[in-house]
Amino acid sequence: MALKPIDNALPLPQETAKFGANEESKTASLPPPPADPIIDYISSENLEPIPDPESVIHGLVEELDSKNWIKVCESLNNVRRFALYHSLLLMPILEKVMLVVVKAMKNPRSALCKTSIMASSDIFKVFGDQSLDSTNNAFDSLLLQLLLKASQDKRFVCEEADRALNEMVKSMTPLSLLNKLRPYVRHSSPRVRAKAALTISNSVSKMGLEGMNEFGLVSLVQMAADLLSDRLPEAREAARNIVTCIYEAYTRNEEQKQESWQNFCQSNLPPIHAQSMVKITSSQ
């Protein structure tokens, strides 16, 4: 009896080869996927005013929340233009705008992340303390994201976040900023602690003894003492700079500088920390 062919029998080797060649030919003939568009990172100096800002401002927050990331980048640049040239129009919606900037900063797409960081720099530059006082929750979220981005491995994002943190220090009064930065010296990430310590150091360098006392001189010294034993050398170096700034402000009008400083440290710190403080400033 003749055997009937099986419908689902495996193809012969030559048929398999022919099938594979056909598929490769089809794949080769497909057009390549479109490349991501190139994003221009425009410096603040090269941004221009918006021709009709009143009509653009009404849809700004909605455009910032678009699903199209290219559109979001364009809108972030509009935020920068509003901040630089039309700040009175931006002020009433600043908190909403900052929250959407934070959302864009969390995006894994580097171009979107960097553009949002650039927007935060221009917001700090123009609004200064207003970006903190009138947008408390939004500022807290933005500060955390900047510290995280400044701590990551993508160099061009990290460098942009460093610039934003420096602009923040330059534009804001130290006392308000220190109160916001204080929790991050105990962050679980050593890189975040180091960035926070550096930002605190830059803020403290702008303060006199009166401002330090208003913040809490003992608290400031204890914070620096804790950072002196941190894991990363960047945090330890920032702590040494903080100690030097405090010492110079504290002893500016003191006749017995080193003795007065030593007594202050011994009264407010554990012996090992007090010894470290005195050692740092002994050559001043």
Side-chain angles (χ1 to χ4, degrees):
M1 181 176 63
L3 295 175
K4 293 182 179 179
I6 301 175
D7 291 340
N8 63 349
L10 294 174
L12 296 174
Q14 60 268 29
E15 291 176 338
T16 304
K18 182 178 179 182
F19 175 79
N22 288 339
E23 287 301 306
E24 289 177 6
S25 176
K26 289 179 183 177
T27 303
S29 64
L30 291 175
D36 280 348
I38 297 174
I39 298 297
D40 289 329
Y41 301 111
I42 308 170
S43 65
S44 300
E45 295 77 16
N46 293 328
L47 288 168
E48 297 180 352
I50 296 172
D52 186 11
E54 288 83 1
S55 64
V56 177
I57 193 69
H58 296 297
L60 183 61
V61 173
E62 184 179 347
E63 290 175 354
L64 284 167
D65 209 20
S66 170
K67 301 297 183 184
N68 184 332
W69 72 273
I70 300 294
K71 187 70 174 177
V72 176
C73 282
E74 293 172 356
S75 300
L76 286 167
N77 280 328
N78 277 342
V79 168
R80 301 173 65 203
R81 296 163 76 191
F82 271 109
L84 295 169
Y85 298 107
H86 319 285
S87 58
L88 290 178
L89 289 174
L90 188 61
M91 186 65 214
I93 61 169
L94 184 59
E95 183 167 15
K96 290 181 180 178
V97 167
M98 287 175 64
L99 288 172
V100 185
V101 167
V102 170
K103 181 180 177 181
M105 209 175 288
K106 294 178 181 179
N107 194 290
R109 193 177 290 273
S110 297
L112 188 54
C113 181
K114 178 170 178 173
T115 307
S116 65
I117 295 171
M118 295 174 78
S120 71
S121 291
D122 287 327
I123 287 172
F124 295 147
K125 185 184 302 180
V126 173
F127 292 100
D129 286 342
Q130 285 182 297
S131 60
L132 188 159
D133 297 335
S134 59
T135 63
N136 212 339
N137 293 333
F139 180 85
D140 290 343
S141 300
L142 183 56
L143 176 58
L144 173 58
Q145 285 306 310
L146 286 174
L147 291 171
L148 290 170
K149 297 306 176 185
S151 306
Q152 69 170 39
D153 293 326
K154 289 183 180 177
R155 184 176 176 181
F156 82 111
V157 171
C158 176
E159 290 175 348
E160 198 63 53
D162 281 335
R163 282 190 282 270
L165 289 170
N166 288 334
E167 188 62 53
M168 181 181 66
V169 170
K170 190 191 305 182
S171 306
M172 295 184 182
T173 53
L175 182 60
S176 300
L177 198 51
L178 285 179
N179 284 316
K180 293 294 185 180
L181 287 163
R182 185 203 298 256
Y184 296 108
V185 297
R186 298 185 179 277
H187 196 274
S188 58
S189 165
R191 287 186 177 187
V192 170
R193 291 199 303 273
K195 290 296 181 181
L198 178 59
T199 309
I200 289 171
S201 172
N202 291 337
S203 294
V204 170
S205 68
K206 296 172 58 181
M207 301 177 81
L209 185 60
E210 183 179 350
M212 293 179 187
N213 280 325
E214 190 173 353
F215 174 79
L217 190 61
V218 173
S219 296
L220 198 56
V221 167
Q222 290 172 342
M223 183 192 302
D226 289 339
L227 286 167
L228 284 172
S229 58
D230 200 89
R231 186 189 309 176
L232 291 185
E234 294 91 337
R236 299 195 296 272
E237 180 60 28
R240 285 190 285 271
N241 291 335
I242 294 170
V243 173
T244 300
C245 290
I246 298 171
Y247 172 78
E248 290 174 352
Y250 184 84
T251 60
R252 190 160 290 141
N253 299 318
E254 294 285 342
E255 293 182 2
Q256 296 177 309
K257 292 184 177 182
Q258 193 62 34
E259 182 180 350
S260 174
W261 172 248
Q262 184 172 343
N263 290 338
F264 173 79
C265 292
Q266 290 174 344
S267 300
N268 295 289
L269 295 169
I272 189 169
H273 284 173
Q275 185 179 357
S276 298
M277 292 288 187
V278 173
K279 184 177 180 181
I280 291 170
T281 57
S282 59
S283 59
Q284 299 292 319

